[in-house]
Amino acid sequence: ADMASTASDSSGEASVVRPRKLLIPGCAPTSSLAREFSLLMAIRTWNTPVLPLQCCPLHSALRELRASSRSLERSKCRPNFAPNAEAQCQHCGILSLGDDMDEDEDE
């Protein structure tokens, strides 16, 4: 089945919107909320400077995240980059190294 959908462009004409290719085609995309949560969990493991002009420690840490992201974007391409995952949460789409995503359903 073709999973393309339609959308209107600025002229009001319907156009076909093709789904984007995923890193792991057989898995669902990770939700925006889950991506943001995982980034927050990652920066909570960092000891970064709190800049005097920043409003709070969170936004200081996010500034460091942005700097790290920019540095990685400038790094050489890695054509074989792929997530290291064996399982996926069916609710949010986060990938996991094991089949521990269903633990809460047993309780």
Side-chain angles (χ1 to χ4, degrees):
D2 189 359
M3 300 192 60
S5 61
T6 59
S8 295
D9 62 18
S10 60
S11 68
E13 295 290 321
S15 60
V16 175
V17 177
R18 296 282 174 197
R20 293 183 183 167
K21 180 180 173 187
L22 296 170
L23 290 171
I24 302 177
C27 291
T30 304
S31 72
S32 296
L33 186 62
R35 293 191 314 256
E36 290 174 12
F37 181 77
S38 65
L39 285 171
L40 284 172
M41 293 299 96
I43 64 174
R44 289 181 69 133
T45 66
W46 301 356
N47 186 23
T48 58
V50 177
L51 303 173
L53 298 177
Q54 286 296 138
C55 58
C56 67
L58 170 64
H59 286 104
S60 283
L62 289 171
R63 182 183 175 106
E64 296 298 316
L65 172 65
R66 191 168 38 255
S68 295
S69 178
R70 286 181 182 141
S71 177
L72 287 169
E73 285 178 356
R74 289 189 300 269
S75 67
K76 70 176 187 169
C77 290
R78 298 178 190 173
N80 297 322
F81 173 83
N84 189 12
E86 298 172 358
Q88 182 180 39
C89 174
Q90 297 303 306
H91 303 287
C92 68
I94 286 286
L95 300 170
S96 170
L97 287 175
D99 196 21
D100 58 5
M101 290 297 202
D102 296 325
E103 287 181 2
D104 62 334
E105 292 179 11
D106 294 338
E107 296 175 359

